[in-house]
Amino acid sequence: MNETLDAFVRSWPWHPWLWAFVALSIAIYARGFVYWHGRDPARWPLARLMAFLAAMMSVFLALGSPIEPFSALLLEVHMLQHLLLMMVAAPLFWLSAPLFPFLRGLPAPVRIYWVIPSLRSRFLRELGARLTHPVTALAIYVVATWGWHVPVIYELALRSTAWHYVEHMCFLTAALLFWYGIVRPFPSRPRWSAWLVLPALLLADVQNTILSALFTFSSRPLYPHYANGPRIGGISALDDQLAAGVFMWVPGSVAFLLPLFVIAARLMYGPRPAAATVTNRRSSQLMQLPVLDQPPWSASALAAQQRGFDLLRVPLVGRFLAWRHARVALQLPLLALALLVMGDGFFSAAPGPMNLAGVLPWIHWRGVVVLVLLVGGNFVCTCCPFTLPRRLLGRVLPEGRAWPQFLQNKGLSIALMLAFFWAYEAYSLWNNPWLTAWLVLGYFVIALVVDSLYRGGSFCKYVCPIGQFNFVLSLCSPLGVSIRNPQVCATCTTKECIRGSQTSPGCELGLFQPRKQGNMDCTFCIDCIHACPHENVGVLRASRAALWQSWSNANIRTDHAVLVAVIVFAAFANAAGMVAPVLAWQDRVVQSIGLDHLTLATLSFLLLFVVLPTTLTGIVVALSARSVSKWRETLCRYGYALLPLGFAMWLAHYGFHLATSYGSIVPTTQRFLADLGLAGFGRPRWALSCCVAVADWIPRAEILALDVGLLASLYIAYRIAVRDRARLLLREFIPWALLCLALFGAGVWIVLQPMEMRGMLPSAASTMARLNP
């Protein structure tokens, strides 16, 4: 056994007072609980007893286990101790509704002559009401948390056992006051609005995030006690402090945001009805979510927003998009950049970080794509240069045949997407301009061949892996090509938006606007806008209700659900393949086994992109499905639930590379122009490609994106579970919630690791840049 682990296991402190306190509390509560459970098992389920036992166990682990002596040696253990007291024991204690069981469990003389008169005291009741008010309790909680983390006071608690216990009492008391207003245990009847709980939890999470960020991103130890103490397990003081910040940040955010999510859902949808009511009346209040029997982004869902924001009504922008040749005008600059990338990749001997083919596609294009998909919908496909040759040659090319029936799904594009991710790692595409140039050229050729042989935009809809990536992630965007007024479409007889007109073709991908489901399969070609004789199609902003409806409806095809899962898990796998611990593990495997790079990349790909995602998804589907025959249905119903979290990881990853490496295009362009004989643009400043420091705000912004993605994914999963089967809410929702939390934790871990700066020149400052622990 490891020496540190052995010492930890043997370091159980002996505190008789703690053993007596825990045993007596459990005995009193259990005695009273047995009485109340026998009289009203519905109000006093066994879950309350389990919550109290868990609360007492948390207190015992924090103060009576090896965590207590090791808290003086490692800051991360000390932080774990505080989390157990403030974010585990306190809320669990109130979830057990301890008042009635404690009163009944106490001896009758104590209860009658001491406790009940105290509870009847008007002064004590008023004091308790004021102290547990969300505003007051939050202030006390923040002051206690920040005050005891001031270095001078923190050092005092570390030097003195008495002050250490005072610190614990302050933390536990402040947490009990704060969580009382959040849980509102039976039989409390607070006089303030329940909506106050939401800003209280949000502000508590904000202050927790700020404090944990101070630990995580500090470049020096904050507490001399730990800086000068023994190095347990070879952990440096800064590594210990970083781990403590992560302990406070991630579990702390979960502890605050999960109740925020659950309470907000209850306030919006009302209390859960009785089981019999749900069974016998499927139209109960809990089950009546709006427009449940219609596809996402249906006409009725969009009716309320027909007078909302429309990009076509924005001055200049709207007139440009209404121009017949607007798409070609957008595609031509991208075509020129693609030709430059191919030319530099084929004919220049410059390595990847100094080559347009190594910088533009792998740093700038990917980062810009996720930003555009977030705020502007699928305008990436609008500007796609790969379909421009076919569009320009459309009049001379013969009309193709129909795409084969057995391939009218996303199977081929999913396979190509996985092949791309494998090739990206196996052949180091970011550092191989020649292969990158061939990849771009191959895209042009395949797009032209497929769309020449087959009609209906077959390449975009069934083949292009980049298009599928854009389709799926653009579902998170508030902008979409939609109808303005459903009544106009209902009275239209020509349906030119899909059939086309004499001056403009209809939708190549066969999307009928009144029934179109979100941005899936929509390339934003804006042909339907030009073809509609009633000017009833625009680029509209969806309301929040329509967005939630489009995600939570989840009546999607199996291939769409698999595509979403592939893109979500690929976000984490692709980012994980670039962080220092994974790269170090790969180096150890190469040295110990002697594998070549191609074999190792293939095995890593199979593990991160195939084995782990398939295993995790299979376990979650099996746990949440009502039977084996319902596995596919469950996957389809919850298909979109993971999408916001996956988008957040793509945004954090690609956004990191764009924010840290955007300047690399300057010296690369100078080098390219100098090779063409245009030396008047100055000598390349290669410092922009190798020595850029990572700003402190970048990892914080990444974690904030993951926070938002987690909340959105949890909300969607919860809404689907509530809508479909309220009686099995916990059984269906919890596995998906745990998967979201696991992915969120993995994302935060990835964000906090040093990351390989691909597309940049190697240097001590940039080869591995993230944090400087």
Side-chain angles (χ1 to χ4, degrees):
M1 180 183 296
N2 181 273
E3 293 182 0
T4 303
L5 180 60
D6 182 65
F8 184 85
V9 172
R10 295 174 181 270
S11 300
W12 285 85
W14 172 243
H15 297 313
W17 62 268
L18 181 63
W19 287 79
F21 168 77
V22 171
L24 185 61
S25 298
I26 292 176
I28 294 174
Y29 182 91
R31 181 171 181 255
F33 177 83
V34 170
Y35 172 82
W36 292 114
H37 179 71
R39 298 191 61 177
D40 190 357
R43 184 178 291 278
W44 299 96
L46 290 176
R48 293 193 187 275
L49 177 61
M50 295 298 104
F52 184 81
L53 294 177
M56 290 296 101
M57 183 58 65
S58 300
V59 173
F60 179 77
L61 288 176
L63 303 179
S65 74
I67 292 176
E68 169 65 14
F70 267 73
S71 65
L73 301 175
L74 291 171
L75 179 59
E76 56 192 281
V77 178
H78 205 166
M79 197 62 66
L80 175 62
Q81 189 179 41
H82 296 166
L83 290 177
L84 287 173
L85 292 174
M86 303 181 73
M87 299 183 184
V88 179
L92 286 174
F93 179 77
W94 292 126
L95 285 171
S96 68
L99 179 60
F100 277 21
F102 266 119
L103 284 176
R104 189 66 191 182
L106 288 170
V110 177
R111 179 173 67 249
I112 294 173
Y113 296 109
W114 292 92
V115 179
I116 293 180
S118 300
L119 294 177
R120 289 175 177 172
S121 170
R122 182 175 181 179
F123 171 77
L124 292 179
R125 291 165 61 186
E126 289 292 331
L127 179 63
R130 292 180 182 275
L131 291 178
T132 56
H133 190 280
V135 176
T136 308
L138 175 63
I140 295 173
Y141 187 89
V142 173
V143 170
T145 303
W146 282 77
W148 279 103
H149 283 93
V150 173
V152 175
I153 302 178
Y154 204 92
E155 291 283 327
L156 175 63
L158 290 172
R159 291 194 305 266
S160 170
T161 302
W163 280 109
H164 198 187
Y165 285 122
V166 171
E167 178 191 38
H168 291 161
M169 289 302 300
C170 288
F171 281 150
L172 186 58
T173 303
L176 287 172
L177 293 176
F178 174 78
W179 287 106
Y180 181 89
I182 305 300
V183 178
R184 301 201 294 178
F186 176 80
S188 65
R189 292 186 179 89
R191 289 171 287 184
W192 35 267
S193 171
W195 289 95
L196 279 176
V197 170
L198 304 183
L201 283 168
L202 185 60
L203 291 174
D205 179 55
V206 170
Q207 65 86 28
N208 178 78
T209 300
I210 295 173
L211 182 57
S212 58
L214 293 178
F215 287 97
T216 304
F217 302 112
S218 177
S219 58
R220 60 180 181 84
L222 298 178
Y223 304 115
H225 174 88
Y226 293 109
N228 302 326
R231 301 271 56 88
I232 306 299
I235 303 175
S236 67
L238 276 177
D239 285 339
D240 181 31
Q241 186 169 281
L242 173 64
V246 174
F247 270 139
M248 177 182 284
W249 200 329
V250 180
S253 292
V254 173
F256 292 123
L257 296 179
L258 269 182
L260 173 67
F261 156 73
V262 173
I263 294 171
R266 288 180 178 176
L267 290 175
M268 286 188 289
Y269 297 122
R272 179 178 174 178
T277 305
V278 176
T279 303
N280 298 327
R281 298 176 58 196
R282 298 297 293 176
S283 60
S284 65
Q285 178 184 0
L286 185 62
M287 304 299 289
Q288 285 184 341
L289 296 181
V291 207
L292 292 180
D293 57 342
Q294 299 186 15
W297 297 78
S298 60
S300 60
L302 293 168
Q305 57 179 341
Q306 57 185 288
R307 293 181 298 274
F309 175 82
D310 188 344
L311 191 62
L312 295 185
R313 293 173 178 168
V314 175
L316 298 181
V317 176
R319 292 192 62 181
F320 172 76
L321 293 178
W323 181 36
R324 287 183 54 193
H325 306 293
R327 191 182 186 192
V328 174
L330 292 172
Q331 289 174 312
L332 285 175
L334 272 294
L335 176 63
L337 288 177
L339 294 176
L340 291 178
V341 166
M342 288 191 293
D344 208 21
F346 281 133
F347 304 112
S348 175
M354 304 172 67
N355 197 298
L356 290 178
V359 173
L360 271 178
W362 308 119
I363 294 179
H364 299 81
W365 179 76
R366 296 193 304 180
V368 171
V369 161
V370 292
L371 293 177
V372 172
L373 290 173
L374 177 63
V375 300
N378 195 12
F379 269 102
V380 177
C381 285
T382 306
C383 307
C384 174
F386 300 119
T387 59
L388 182 57
R390 180 255 302 172
R391 191 179 186 92
L392 297 177
L393 298 174
R395 295 184 178 182
V396 298
L397 291 175
E399 183 178 4
R401 65 190 72 178
W403 185 254
Q405 182 71 29
F406 74 97
L407 288 178
Q408 292 186 13
N409 53 59
K410 303 298 183 181
L412 179 58
S413 57
I414 291 174
L416 291 174
M417 183 180 297
L418 291 174
F420 165 76
F421 284 122
W422 168 79
Y424 177 78
E425 294 291 342
Y427 295 101
S428 302
L429 294 181
W430 70 92
N431 203 32
N432 197 323
W434 187 75
L435 282 180
T436 300
W438 272 111
L439 179 64
V440 176
L441 179 60
Y443 237 101
F444 276 108
V445 173
I446 295 174
L448 182 60
V449 170
V450 171
D451 283 337
S452 299
L453 297 177
Y454 301 97
R455 62 176 180 268
S458 301
F459 174 77
C460 299
K461 192 169 186 177
Y462 301 115
V463 180
C464 179
I466 298 178
Q468 312 312 315
F469 182 88
N470 297 338
F471 292 154
V472 170
L473 294 192
S474 63
L475 292 171
C476 295
S477 172
L479 285 184
V481 178
S482 310
I483 58 174
R484 293 168 176 163
N485 191 330
Q487 285 71 32
V488 173
C489 291
T491 58
C492 178
T493 57
T494 58
K495 311 300 181 186
E496 294 180 22
C497 62
I498 189 170
R499 296 174 180 171
S501 63
Q502 294 181 352
T503 59
S504 179
C507 182
E508 291 184 321
L509 281 75
L511 302 176
F512 185 44
Q513 281 298 329
R515 299 179 183 176
K516 186 166 73 72
Q517 300 186 3
N519 288 331
M520 180 61 74
D521 290 340
C522 181
T523 60
F524 275 43
C525 66
I526 58 181
D527 285 339
C528 56
I529 294 175
H530 298 147
C532 178
H534 309 290
E535 297 185 355
N536 194 42
V537 183
V539 183
L540 305 179
R541 181 182 63 195
S543 66
R544 285 176 294 179
L547 279 175
W548 297 137
Q549 174 63 20
S550 71
W551 288 338
S552 62
N553 192 285
N555 293 321
I556 60 176
R557 298 177 352 202
T558 304
D559 58 328
H560 285 187
V562 174
L563 175 63
V564 170
V566 167
I567 291 177
V568 169
F569 282 101
F572 296 89
N574 182 251
M578 303 182 191
V579 298
V582 175
L583 295 174
W585 168 78
Q586 291 178 340
D587 291 340
R588 290 195 297 270
V589 171
V590 170
Q591 294 174 3
S592 60
I593 304 179
L595 296 178
D596 60 273
H597 174 74
L598 182 60
T599 304
L600 179 62
T602 303
L603 293 176
S604 300
F605 167 80
L606 292 175
L607 175 64
L608 294 177
F609 284 83
V610 180
V611 176
L612 283 179
T614 303
T615 303
L616 290 175
T617 307
I619 292 174
V620 170
V621 170
L623 291 175
S624 58
R626 296 187 286 273
S627 63
V628 176
S629 61
K630 300 292 184 179
W631 285 15
R632 185 182 65 84
E633 175 189 337
T634 302
L635 176 63
C636 292
R637 285 171 44 233
Y638 287 89
Y640 288 154
L642 301 177
L643 182 55
L645 189 54
F647 191 102
M649 189 67 242
W650 284 116
L651 180 63
H653 179 198
Y654 286 170
F656 168 79
H657 287 292
L658 181 63
T660 56
S661 310
Y662 66 92
S664 60
I665 189 60
V666 175
T668 305
T669 303
Q670 290 174 317
R671 195 273 319 154
F672 175 74
L673 294 174
D675 288 352
L676 295 179
L678 303 174
F681 293 90
R683 298 181 60 184
R685 298 174 53 197
W686 294 117
L688 295 174
S689 295
C690 70
C691 307
V692 180
V694 179
D696 291 340
W697 64 267
I698 293 177
R700 300 174 191 178
E702 292 176 283
I703 295 179
L704 176 62
L706 290 172
D707 285 337
V708 175
L710 172 65
L711 285 177
S713 289
L714 289 174
Y715 177 86
I716 295 169
Y718 177 82
R719 186 160 181 172
I720 295 170
V722 169
R723 178 204 62 190
D724 288 348
R725 201 170 181 85
R727 289 185 296 112
L728 297 179
L729 171 61
L730 292 181
R731 173 179 172 179
E732 293 198 2
F733 169 69
I734 287 180
W736 292 96
L738 292 177
L739 178 59
C740 291
L741 292 174
L743 291 175
F744 173 75
V748 172
W749 177 82
I750 291 170
V751 164
L752 296 177
Q753 301 304 309
M755 177 168 283
E756 184 180 15
M757 302 290 285
R758 295 180 175 178
M760 300 285 282
L761 289 171
S763 75
S766 68
T767 300
M768 285 290 177
R770 168 69 69 177
L771 303 176
N772 185 21

